[in-house]
Amino acid sequence: MEKNINKYVTLEKFYYFENDYCDPKLTETDKPEIKALADDYCAGLWTEYVSENKNHLMLINSPDELKIKNESKQEYNWQNDWNDGNIKAFKENVKNRIDWKDDDSVIFFWNKTSGIESKWALICKYWISFLYEDEANIIINPKSGKAIILSTNGNLSIGDRL
């Protein structure tokens, strides 16, 4: 990736972290740890980790277009807990399915140009706000060979990154 590219923009790019949509309310301590990715930087990461040709997970029509393989659908459906505002549900039902550390830096993608870099623990803490758009999201941990896909209708899959 080009070295002179701006990596981050203000978190205000994602309005739901700045108002009552964020549940629990984003603390001043956590706010600097949730970094909104600049469009071009995000697009480069998406191309590297998710897909070279498609700009949204829902547009992928062939397994060859996705850089995640061997998806394993999990028996947990996150949508009911999201609708009920069950803040602890992600930590209780997703975190233990993958061996990521709380301090691991992960990337949460909504699409090719919309994403956030944060700590895994903060994704788990603010998961309801991250999933404001439930049209297929993906979480990548660059240190890990695994990825989490949060699909429509509450489907949760874990797959292998190429």
Side-chain angles (χ1 to χ4, degrees):
M1 223 173 291
E2 190 177 313
K3 289 187 180 196
N4 293 332
I5 196 168
N6 288 332
K7 289 183 177 184
Y8 308 109
V9 295
T10 63
L11 189 58
E12 287 76 21
K13 174 181 179 181
F14 302 110
Y15 68 91
Y16 37 87
F17 287 102
E18 291 297 316
N19 58 32
D20 292 335
Y21 293 110
C22 191
D23 191 16
K25 188 76 174 147
L26 185 61
T27 68
E28 289 304 314
T29 304
D30 291 341
K31 186 175 179 179
E33 298 296 322
I34 299 175
K35 302 171 185 169
L37 301 176
D39 291 356
D40 289 343
Y41 181 62
C42 190
L45 293 172
W46 175 275
T47 300
E48 180 178 351
Y49 295 124
V50 181
S51 177
E52 293 180 10
N53 303 323
K54 301 295 182 177
N55 62 9
H56 196 285
L57 222 47
M58 291 182 68
L59 298 175
I60 294 175
N61 298 315
S62 164
D64 294 339
E65 297 173 332
L66 183 62
K67 293 186 173 187
I68 296 160
K69 305 297 179 201
N70 305 319
E71 283 182 55
S72 171
K73 186 176 175 185
Q74 305 295 298
E75 291 187 23
Y76 170 68
N77 185 301
W78 58 264
Q79 195 169 47
N80 295 330
D81 286 325
W82 186 87
N83 287 331
D84 292 341
N86 185 349
I87 295 167
K88 294 180 181 179
F90 201 84
K91 188 174 184 177
E92 293 170 354
N93 296 294
V94 178
K95 191 175 181 190
N96 62 350
R97 295 172 189 261
I98 199 155
D99 64 350
W100 296 352
K101 307 283 186 249
D102 282 348
D103 285 340
D104 282 354
S105 183
V106 299
I107 304 159
F108 187 102
F109 289 106
W110 290 277
N111 60 54
K112 186 174 183 170
T113 58
S114 295
I116 283 184
E117 179 183 304
S118 190
K119 302 290 182 205
W120 175 231
L122 294 180
I123 300 290
C124 294
K125 181 177 181 179
Y126 296 106
W127 76 279
I128 289 176
S129 296
F130 278 96
L131 286 168
Y132 82 97
E133 179 186 303
D134 61 354
E135 295 182 347
N137 304 289
I138 188 162
I139 307 170
I140 300 290
N141 179 340
K143 292 182 184 177
S144 170
K146 298 287 185 187
I148 297 173
I149 298 173
L150 301 150
S151 299
T152 57
N153 301 320
N155 293 328
L156 169 72
S157 298
I158 296 176
D160 298 321
R161 289 192 312 109
L162 294 181

